[in-house]
Amino acid sequence: MRIFVGLVGIFFSCTCIQAQNADILLGHDLYHYVDRLDIQGLSGDFFPTTLKPYGRQVVADFFATVDTQRLSPVENQWHKRMRILVDDAYASSTSQKGIWNTFYTNGRDLYHVDKEPNKFRLYVNPSFHLALGNEQETFLSTERQGHTLLNNIRGLSIRGVLWDKIGFYTEVTDNVIRVPQEIFQNFEENDQLYDQTFVKRFGNTENGLDFFNARAYLTFRPIEAMRIKVGKDRAFWGLGRQSLFLNDHAADYAFVNIQTKIWKLVYVNHFTQLLDFVPNKGDTEGTWPRKYGVFHQLSYFPTNTISLSLFESIIYNPYLANGKRGFEIQYLNPLIFFRAIEQSLGSPDNATIGFSAKVNAWNRFQLYGQFLIDDLNIGQRDNGDDYWGNKLGYQVGAKYINAFSIPTLDLQVEYNRVRPYTYQHFNIAANYSQFDQSLGHAAGANLYDLYVGLRYHPLPPLNIELAYTTLTQGLDMDGINYGGDINRSYSVDRAGDFGQIVGQGDPLNMDQIYGRLTYQLWNTDIYAEIEGRYRTENERESASILGGVRMGLPQRIVKF
């Protein structure tokens, strides 16, 4: 107890720690804006864009160093809007009377308190997404049917800073939504809604879902080079639309995240407690089983335009066939090579390693990619081709900023390919998932996909987005495991040892065209928007449109 009190005293007495703040919500358009600034080389230092979410204070400091004289007039106004959203000091410099001298006095937040002598700042905002739309669907060549789409999401977010050392964030939302039919059908079949845990039917509506969500965390810096985040949230490691390493597709989870930046190196430790989903579990049957994930990534920035990263992870379950081993304390080592430890324990766990890289060129282009190794057995090549145990995945992508010399017109193309049985494990409780939702590629494995996207910002508050996505994936059929469902054991009903190719099994072919028009209201985080989507999926065809207003929440977009 004395040691704990002493450590707390040292922490709060330290005066060299940088100001802290909460993170930017994953999926926010600020991520695209930071990315394009990085590609344009508008800052004097490198920015670790492969590690998301970004801290608000880190992004605010980055924005303050941008050479705005190199921006076009539209980009300059856009930059001011983005900086106001993330930089508390900059927003306060535009101080105004607001409403009744109480609300929106900084022109951005519904209510805020800034007590500089006490080093206390508080920001309170509603979180909502209110939208209404319609989907027209044809399935198995039957008569076209119409379905109402709805987002009725209401909540509150509170963030702030204590003593300029501790950042905090908490958010609660009550959600009633009516979703497209392919999402609702997946819920009916698997009792699952992506990025959520407990979800129930909403009344007798044909596609209505109801759920309550909460997230919260603390951030602090024990030393200048280190940032620690503790709480319940998600992470995304990568530069693309998908991530083969760590995606934000799955539901929130408990974690400790430690990010250290020294010289040209950024090293991150991510310790998580995950949930193993059990279908049809009753409330009286206890908690969801626990499992754990530990992730490392070391990034090296030889220049401001190049980054190279080494990734590794372990997913493990405390219950094994020979009994319960409990929490594996060896995986708490922040520096050790996980695979060596996993082998020394008898290879009971799900280990992966990966490599990623990015190169920015001519202040216009970015090339990026990821290569994931779940398992690799080169020695089997003499026995046959396409050995099942060579579980690999790769991603290649490119971005083109201010395309064709048109300011704010940005293009992106990305291709992902993941071999069968990647992310699976012999122990299904150690699969690469949180609540049966993939932590890697959002669709799982045994697939390849292509994404082509366009973003255009013709006016400071106006954003236009168009995207085309195509996905081919081999699904299981006749009880045979073809390697696409990451929540099966690769030891049970596997299709074979050799001749295992991407797309084998029952083919799923999906094509989708998506468009979104967003208009930012004033300098707030409030947006009026309308989105449309046309999607074909085997024998299902659908077209939908949805319009409304949202605040403090990113747009929920299905990634596959």
Side-chain angles (χ1 to χ4, degrees), residues 312-344:
E312 61 173 343
S313 72
I314 293 284
I315 304 293
Y316 71 97
N317 184 359
Y319 293 91
L320 297 174
N322 59 355
K324 180 180 179 181
R325 61 171 171 171
F327 186 82
E328 190 57 70
I329 194 170
Q330 293 197 60
Y331 290 139
L332 290 179
N333 190 319
L335 299 175
I336 205 161
F337 185 57
F338 282 150
R339 179 57 175 159
I341 288 296
E342 194 267 342
Q343 287 180 324
S344 72

Coordinates of all heavy atoms in Angstrom, one line a residue, residues 312-344:
E312 N 3.0 -8.1 -33.9 CA 2.8 -9.4 -33.4 C 1.7 -9.4 -32.4 O 1.3 -8.4 -31.8 CB 4.1 -10.0 -32.7 CG 4.5 -9.2 -31.5 CD 5.7 -9.8 -30.7 OE1 5.9 -11.1 -30.9 OE2 6.3 -9.2 -29.9
S313 N 1.0 -10.6 -32.3 CA -0.1 -10.7 -31.4 C -0.3 -12.1 -30.9 O 0.2 -13.1 -31.5 CB -1.4 -10.3 -32.1 OG -1.8 -11.3 -33.1
I314 N -0.9 -12.2 -29.8 CA -1.3 -13.5 -29.2 C -2.8 -13.4 -28.7 O -3.1 -12.5 -28.0 CB -0.4 -13.9 -28.0 CG1 1.0 -14.2 -28.4 CG2 -1.0 -15.1 -27.2 CD1 1.2 -15.5 -29.1
I315 N -3.6 -14.4 -29.1 CA -4.9 -14.5 -28.5 C -4.9 -15.8 -27.7 O -4.6 -16.9 -28.3 CB -6.0 -14.6 -29.6 CG1 -6.0 -13.3 -30.5 CG2 -7.4 -14.7 -28.9 CD1 -6.3 -12.1 -29.8
Y316 N -5.3 -15.8 -26.5 CA -5.2 -17.0 -25.7 C -6.4 -17.1 -24.7 O -7.0 -16.1 -24.3 CB -3.9 -17.1 -24.9 CG -3.8 -16.1 -23.7 CD1 -4.1 -16.5 -22.4 CD2 -3.3 -14.9 -23.9 CE1 -3.9 -15.7 -21.4 CE2 -3.1 -14.0 -22.9 CZ -3.4 -14.4 -21.6 OH -3.2 -13.5 -20.5
N317 N -6.8 -18.3 -24.4 CA -7.9 -18.6 -23.6 C -7.4 -19.3 -22.3 O -6.6 -20.2 -22.4 CB -8.9 -19.6 -24.3 CG -10.1 -19.9 -23.6 OD1 -10.3 -19.4 -22.5 ND2 -11.0 -20.7 -24.2
P318 N -7.9 -18.9 -21.1 CA -7.4 -19.5 -19.9 C -7.8 -20.9 -19.7 O -7.3 -21.6 -18.8 CB -7.9 -18.6 -18.8 CG -9.1 -17.9 -19.4 CD -8.8 -17.8 -20.9
Y319 N -8.7 -21.4 -20.5 CA -9.2 -22.8 -20.4 C -8.6 -23.7 -21.5 O -8.8 -23.3 -22.7 CB -10.7 -22.9 -20.4 CG -11.4 -22.3 -19.2 CD1 -11.7 -20.9 -19.2 CD2 -11.6 -23.0 -18.0 CE1 -12.3 -20.3 -18.1 CE2 -12.2 -22.4 -16.9 CZ -12.5 -21.1 -16.9 OH -13.1 -20.5 -15.8
L320 N -7.9 -24.7 -21.2 CA -7.4 -25.7 -22.1 C -7.9 -27.1 -21.9 O -8.6 -27.3 -20.9 CB -5.9 -25.7 -22.1 CG -5.2 -24.4 -22.4 CD1 -3.7 -24.5 -22.2 CD2 -5.4 -24.0 -23.9
A321 N -7.7 -28.0 -22.8 CA -8.2 -29.3 -22.7 C -7.7 -30.0 -21.4 O -8.4 -30.9 -20.8 CB -7.8 -30.2 -23.9
N322 N -6.5 -29.7 -20.9 CA -6.0 -30.3 -19.7 C -6.2 -29.5 -18.4 O -5.6 -29.7 -17.4 CB -4.5 -30.6 -19.8 CG -3.7 -29.3 -20.1 OD1 -4.3 -28.2 -20.2 ND2 -2.4 -29.4 -20.1
G323 N -7.2 -28.5 -18.5 CA -7.5 -27.8 -17.3 C -7.4 -26.3 -17.5 O -7.0 -25.8 -18.6
K324 N -7.6 -25.5 -16.4 CA -7.5 -24.1 -16.4 C -6.1 -23.7 -16.0 O -5.6 -24.1 -15.0 CB -8.6 -23.5 -15.5 CG -8.6 -22.0 -15.4 CD -9.6 -21.4 -14.5 CE -9.5 -19.9 -14.4 NZ -10.5 -19.3 -13.5
R325 N -5.5 -22.8 -16.8 CA -4.2 -22.3 -16.5 C -4.3 -20.9 -15.9 O -3.3 -20.4 -15.4 CB -3.3 -22.3 -17.7 CG -3.8 -21.4 -18.8 CD -2.8 -21.2 -19.9 NE -3.4 -20.6 -21.1 CZ -2.7 -20.1 -22.1 NH1 -1.4 -20.3 -22.1 NH2 -3.2 -19.6 -23.1
G326 N -5.4 -20.2 -16.0 CA -5.5 -18.9 -15.5 C -4.9 -17.8 -16.4 O -4.7 -18.1 -17.6
F327 N -4.7 -16.7 -15.8 CA -4.1 -15.6 -16.6 C -2.6 -15.8 -16.9 O -1.9 -16.2 -15.9 CB -4.3 -14.3 -15.8 CG -3.8 -13.0 -16.5 CD1 -4.7 -12.5 -17.5 CD2 -2.6 -12.5 -16.3 CE1 -4.3 -11.3 -18.1 CE2 -2.2 -11.4 -17.0 CZ -3.1 -10.8 -17.9
E328 N -2.2 -15.7 -18.1 CA -0.8 -16.0 -18.5 C 0.1 -14.8 -18.3 O 0.1 -13.9 -19.1 CB -0.7 -16.5 -20.0 CG 0.6 -17.0 -20.3 CD 1.0 -18.2 -19.4 OE1 0.4 -19.3 -19.5 OE2 2.0 -18.0 -18.6
I329 N 0.8 -14.7 -17.1 CA 1.5 -13.5 -16.8 C 2.7 -13.3 -17.7 O 3.1 -12.1 -17.8 CB 1.9 -13.6 -15.3 CG1 2.4 -12.3 -14.8 CG2 3.0 -14.7 -15.1 CD1 2.6 -12.2 -13.3
Q330 N 3.2 -14.3 -18.4 CA 4.4 -14.1 -19.2 C 4.1 -13.1 -20.4 O 4.9 -12.5 -20.9 CB 4.9 -15.4 -19.8 CG 5.5 -16.3 -18.7 CD 6.3 -17.4 -19.3 OE1 7.3 -17.1 -19.9 NE2 5.9 -18.6 -19.0
Y331 N 2.8 -13.1 -20.8 CA 2.4 -12.2 -21.9 C 2.3 -10.7 -21.5 O 2.1 -9.9 -22.4 CB 1.1 -12.7 -22.5 CG 1.2 -14.0 -23.3 CD1 0.2 -14.9 -23.1 CD2 2.2 -14.3 -24.1 CE1 0.2 -16.1 -23.8 CE2 2.3 -15.5 -24.8 CZ 1.3 -16.4 -24.6 OH 1.3 -17.6 -25.3
L332 N 2.5 -10.4 -20.3 CA 2.6 -9.0 -19.8 C 3.9 -8.4 -20.1 O 4.1 -7.2 -19.9 CB 2.2 -8.9 -18.4 CG 0.7 -9.2 -18.0 CD1 0.5 -9.1 -16.5 CD2 -0.2 -8.3 -18.8
N333 N 4.9 -9.2 -20.4 CA 6.2 -8.7 -20.7 C 6.1 -7.7 -21.9 O 5.7 -8.1 -23.0 CB 7.2 -9.8 -21.1 CG 8.6 -9.4 -21.1 OD1 8.9 -8.3 -21.7 ND2 9.5 -10.2 -20.6
P334 N 6.5 -6.4 -21.7 CA 6.2 -5.5 -22.8 C 7.2 -5.5 -23.9 O 7.0 -4.8 -25.0 CB 6.3 -4.1 -22.1 CG 7.3 -4.4 -20.9 CD 7.0 -5.8 -20.5
L335 N 8.3 -6.3 -23.8 CA 9.4 -6.2 -24.8 C 9.6 -7.5 -25.5 O 10.2 -7.6 -26.6 CB 10.7 -5.8 -24.1 CG 10.7 -4.4 -23.5 CD1 12.0 -4.1 -22.8 CD2 10.4 -3.3 -24.6
I336 N 9.2 -8.6 -24.9 CA 9.6 -9.9 -25.4 C 8.9 -10.3 -26.7 O 7.8 -9.8 -27.0 CB 9.3 -11.0 -24.3 CG1 10.3 -12.2 -24.5 CG2 7.9 -11.4 -24.3 CD1 10.4 -13.0 -23.3
F337 N 9.5 -11.2 -27.5 CA 8.9 -11.7 -28.7 C 7.9 -12.8 -28.4 O 8.2 -13.8 -27.8 CB 10.0 -12.3 -29.6 CG 9.5 -12.8 -31.0 CD1 8.9 -11.9 -31.8 CD2 9.7 -14.1 -31.4 CE1 8.5 -12.3 -33.1 CE2 9.3 -14.5 -32.6 CZ 8.7 -13.6 -33.5
F338 N 6.6 -12.5 -28.7 CA 5.5 -13.3 -28.2 C 5.6 -14.8 -28.7 O 5.3 -15.7 -28.0 CB 4.2 -12.7 -28.7 CG 3.7 -11.6 -27.9 CD1 2.9 -10.6 -28.5 CD2 4.0 -11.4 -26.5 CE1 2.5 -9.5 -27.8 CE2 3.5 -10.3 -25.8 CZ 2.8 -9.4 -26.4
R339 N 6.0 -14.9 -30.0 CA 6.0 -16.3 -30.5 C 6.9 -17.2 -29.8 O 6.6 -18.4 -29.6 CB 6.4 -16.2 -32.0 CG 6.4 -17.6 -32.7 CD 5.1 -18.3 -32.6 NE 5.1 -19.5 -33.4 CZ 4.3 -20.5 -33.2 NH1 3.4 -20.5 -32.3 NH2 4.4 -21.6 -34.0
A340 N 8.1 -16.7 -29.3 CA 9.0 -17.5 -28.6 C 8.4 -18.0 -27.3 O 8.5 -19.1 -26.8 CB 10.3 -16.7 -28.3
I341 N 7.7 -17.0 -26.6 CA 7.0 -17.4 -25.3 C 5.9 -18.4 -25.6 O 5.8 -19.4 -24.8 CB 6.5 -16.1 -24.7 CG1 7.6 -15.3 -24.1 CG2 5.5 -16.5 -23.5 CD1 8.4 -15.9 -23.0
E342 N 5.1 -18.2 -26.6 CA 4.0 -19.1 -26.9 C 4.5 -20.5 -27.2 O 3.9 -21.5 -26.7 CB 3.2 -18.6 -28.1 CG 1.9 -19.2 -28.3 CD 1.9 -20.4 -29.3 OE1 2.9 -20.5 -30.1 OE2 1.0 -21.2 -29.3
Q343 N 5.7 -20.6 -27.9 CA 6.2 -22.0 -28.2 C 6.7 -22.6 -26.9 O 6.6 -23.8 -26.7 CB 7.3 -21.9 -29.2 CG 6.8 -21.6 -30.6 CD 8.0 -21.5 -31.6 OE1 9.0 -21.0 -31.3 NE2 7.7 -22.0 -32.8
S344 N 7.3 -21.8 -26.0 CA 7.9 -22.3 -24.8 C 6.8 -22.8 -23.8 O 7.1 -23.7 -23.0 CB 8.7 -21.3 -24.0 OG 7.9 -20.3 -23.5

